[in-house]
Amino acid sequence: MVLEGHFRECGCVLKQNKKGIMFFAVAFYTLELLLGFVFLVKEQFTVDQVIDIGLLFTLMALINFFPIKVKEHFVVLANTISLAAFLHFGFWVEVILTQLTMLSTWWRYRLTSWEWLFGQLVLLLVTSFSAAGVFYLLGGRTGVLLSAPFTSMFLPILGYLLIIFLFNYFHPYVLKWFLEDVPLGRRGNIWQEALPVLIFLPIGALLSLLFAQNGRWAFFYVFFPFLALSVILMLFYRLQEIYQKLQVIHKLANGIAAQLDMGLVIDRLMEAVGRLLPYQYCYLLLVDINKQVLKPVRLVGDGILPEEYQRFMQTEVDLQNHVCDQKGQGNEINERYFRGKFSFLRQQKSVYSIPLLYDQQLYGILTVTHKQANQYTKDDLPLVEILAHQGAIALKNAADYERTRRRSERDELTGLYNYRYFERGLEEMIRKSNGPFALILLDIDYFKKVNDHYGHLAGNKILRHIATILKEEVEERGTVARFGGEEFVILLENVTEEEAYRWAEALREKIASTPVFIQSDLAPEDNREHAHYVSVSMGIAMYPFHARDALSLIRQADRAMYMGAKRKGRNKVAVYSNL
């Protein structure tokens, strides 16, 4: 634990002085390469030696052209065969060849920024320097592989290969830790990541021996097997990676197939994206069918200022100006509405947006971004499209369920909650109540006469008129529902009896003074709309003072309404305690 603490403390100091370390690395790297080129210029190589070095460079470049990707980093195997260059031509030739052949990997994949490339080159230089140092410390000599006794060369070569193995395994993690602040932590299965290096190291040693015995013909003996093995290992690890990602998609599909909660579906989808693709930021836009806009529902990433986060989540994209049925359209929306307007997205060099489509219906757009260029390859995109399709199905199921649930809880005519929902809500309030609340029962006066005189369509318009006023007045203070027929019920939380009475009186006065314009369906010749004023009678019962269970509370409010308001002339508010 003490050593671990010292290590973390040293790590913090290193990262705090990142610029200084980079400057030192540039100076060290430049000096080493200058010394190497000076040596190569002064060394008088024969034509045969130049040809042999060129063959070694070709083989190493081709091997590096097919790097093996293991857990988000690339394993390059050229320096496992650089042993031949080192044993026959010395340290500087091996260094120059290793550095130059690394460029073939970078050129093919455009893997990262210059910082990452330079970090790779510096660490490879350190690897070459360390391996050569161990080789010489153990008594090894270059250029004398066949003439030197086997026992005198075995241990130095073994030490050289061991250093190559260790640096190949650890340097990607060190680089990610230094440049991206990724914790060094546990690295998982060491054998899975070390297998390619372990396979190629003895082959590299064999190439050195064959080269010493047979000259450049050794390249032709091992060229095609070496290259084929490199390609096979690359494909093997790629297929293994695809298989693991397909497992993630399969697990997601199983996990959300029966999941009907929209929030949990979104959480599972975002989690799956993080396991499929590396990203700096990931955000999900969902379609609001009523407004015909795309609205952000999730934004994941570090270093986002609170004010930018709030502004981002309030951004809306008008769907009338976009047809988001293609990947390019998603990227266009990202560029137009998000990337140029938020500072945390401007430095992202890799951006991929994909529409969540099912049965030609758009449900949302998923976007991942990364600060490194060319982070997302064409091989990754089909898997993301499969994930997006599964996510669209899950979002559709959750939206359908939510729509059905809302319909089952709402009164079709007024849009208010129905009696079933109100009854459950009342039971829940009684069970969890931390203070008094009021139940107000409201009945429209003379509603039957309105139906008889104007018709039921006019009566329905009055019901919707009352419902609109109730929604405006109640808002977040409580719950309003249609109780049945022309009756409505209101639950007001955390109010006293006096407060409930004053609020109900104000509501009664507003209803009585607000006209509703109706047309008589029973007199077709009269198409004019008439201003009609409606009055209501209300009864109030307080929990827990007037009743301690739901049924009794409703009964007391009903008594207050009929005995205290209806029987006393209507258009009144009555409280149960005043009967």
Side-chain angles (χ1 to χ4, degrees), residues 493-562:
E493 301 180 50
N494 300 315
V495 293
T496 63
E497 182 178 303
E498 181 62 28
E499 289 171 340
Y501 178 79
R502 287 201 305 268
W503 184 87
E505 266 294 327
L507 174 64
R508 182 194 63 77
E509 290 177 1
K510 181 172 182 177
I511 293 173
S513 61
T514 306
V516 55
F517 294 90
I518 57 176
Q519 180 181 343
S520 176
D521 298 313
L522 303 181
E525 66 281 357
D526 185 7
N527 294 325
R528 294 175 303 166
E529 286 192 336
H530 304 277
H532 186 81
Y533 289 89
V534 180
S535 67
V536 296
S537 298
M538 288 186 271
I540 302 174
M542 297 295 300
Y543 175 88
F545 309 112
H546 301 155
R548 289 185 171 272
D549 63 87
L551 186 61
S552 299
L553 194 64
I554 295 171
R555 185 180 292 117
Q556 312 301 44
D558 195 41
R559 286 175 179 168
M561 182 184 69
Y562 276 99

Side-chain angles (χ1 to χ4, degrees), residues 6 47 74 82 104 110 124 126 145 153 195-196 202 229 258 268 283 285 300 323 334 360 367 377 439 530 557 571:
H6 285 308
V47 174
F74 286 86
S82 63
S104 65
R110 304 293 195 276
L124 284 175
V126 172
L145 183 60
M153 294 296 291
L195 181 62
L229 183 59
R268 293 284 181 86
Y283 48 92
L285 314 177
V300 180
V323 181
N334 175 72
Q360 298 184 340
T367 301
T377 67
L439 187 150
H530 304 277
N571 194 20

Side-chain angles (χ1 to χ4, degrees), residues 305-496:
L305 297 174
E307 55 271 20
E308 276 208 307
Y309 179 86
Q310 291 245 341
R311 189 161 56 88
F312 184 94
M313 297 304 289
Q314 293 171 358
T315 303
E316 294 185 351
V317 179
D318 189 353
L319 283 176
Q320 294 180 355
N321 299 327
H322 302 278
V323 181
C324 305
D325 56 355
Q326 299 177 356
K327 289 176 284 187
Q329 190 68 47
N331 288 329
E332 179 189 330
I333 286 175
N334 175 72
E335 290 290 333
R336 180 175 175 181
Y337 292 91
F338 297 100
R339 193 175 180 188
K341 297 182 179 180
F342 298 94
S343 60
F344 64 91
L345 291 177
R346 291 190 190 115
Q347 304 303 318
Q348 302 297 291
K349 298 178 181 178
S350 295
V351 180
Y352 182 62
S353 297
I354 182 167
L356 305 181
L357 292 166
Y358 176 69
D359 197 21
Q360 298 184 340
Q361 175 71 37
L362 178 71
Y363 291 90
I365 293 179
L366 179 67
T367 301
V368 288
T369 73
H370 204 284
K371 65 182 180 182
Q372 297 172 10
N374 305 299
Q375 186 67 32
Y376 308 120
T377 67
K378 62 180 181 181
D379 296 331
D380 293 321
L381 303 187
L383 295 175
V384 181
E385 290 175 359
I386 295 173
L387 175 65
H389 181 70
Q390 294 294 328
I393 294 173
L395 290 170
K396 174 187 180 298
N397 292 338
D400 289 345
Y401 170 77
E402 185 66 22
R403 194 158 42 247
T404 303
R405 184 185 64 81
R406 283 200 302 267
R407 285 178 180 173
S408 70
E409 294 175 346
R410 296 282 178 173
D411 174 62
E412 288 288 339
L413 179 64
T414 63
L416 299 177
Y417 289 116
N418 56 27
Y419 178 76
R420 185 190 304 123
Y421 179 87
F422 158 75
E423 191 175 35
R424 287 200 306 266
L426 178 58
E427 295 282 1
E428 188 76 9
M429 283 185 67
I430 290 175
R431 195 173 80 253
K432 294 184 175 180
S433 178
N434 296 320
F437 65 85
L439 187 150
I440 304 174
L441 203 59
L442 179 151
D443 184 85
I444 302 175
D445 296 330
Y446 305 111
F447 186 71
K448 186 177 182 307
K449 290 183 178 181
V450 173
N451 282 335
D452 292 341
H453 186 75
Y454 293 101
H456 286 87
L457 292 180
N460 289 344
K461 189 171 184 180
I462 290 174
L463 289 172
R464 288 193 292 268
H465 167 72
I466 298 296
T468 300
I469 295 176
L470 292 178
K471 280 189 285 189
E472 291 173 354
E473 293 300 312
V474 175
E475 292 184 336
E476 302 298 323
R477 298 193 60 179
T479 304
V480 58
R482 187 178 178 189
F483 194 73
E486 68 269 27
E487 292 183 324
F488 299 86
V489 63
I490 302 165
L491 294 174
L492 290 183
E493 301 180 50
N494 300 315
V495 293
T496 63

Side-chain angles (χ1 to χ4, degrees), residues 128-139:
S128 299
F129 187 83
S130 303
V134 170
F135 177 85
Y136 290 125
L137 285 174
L138 293 176

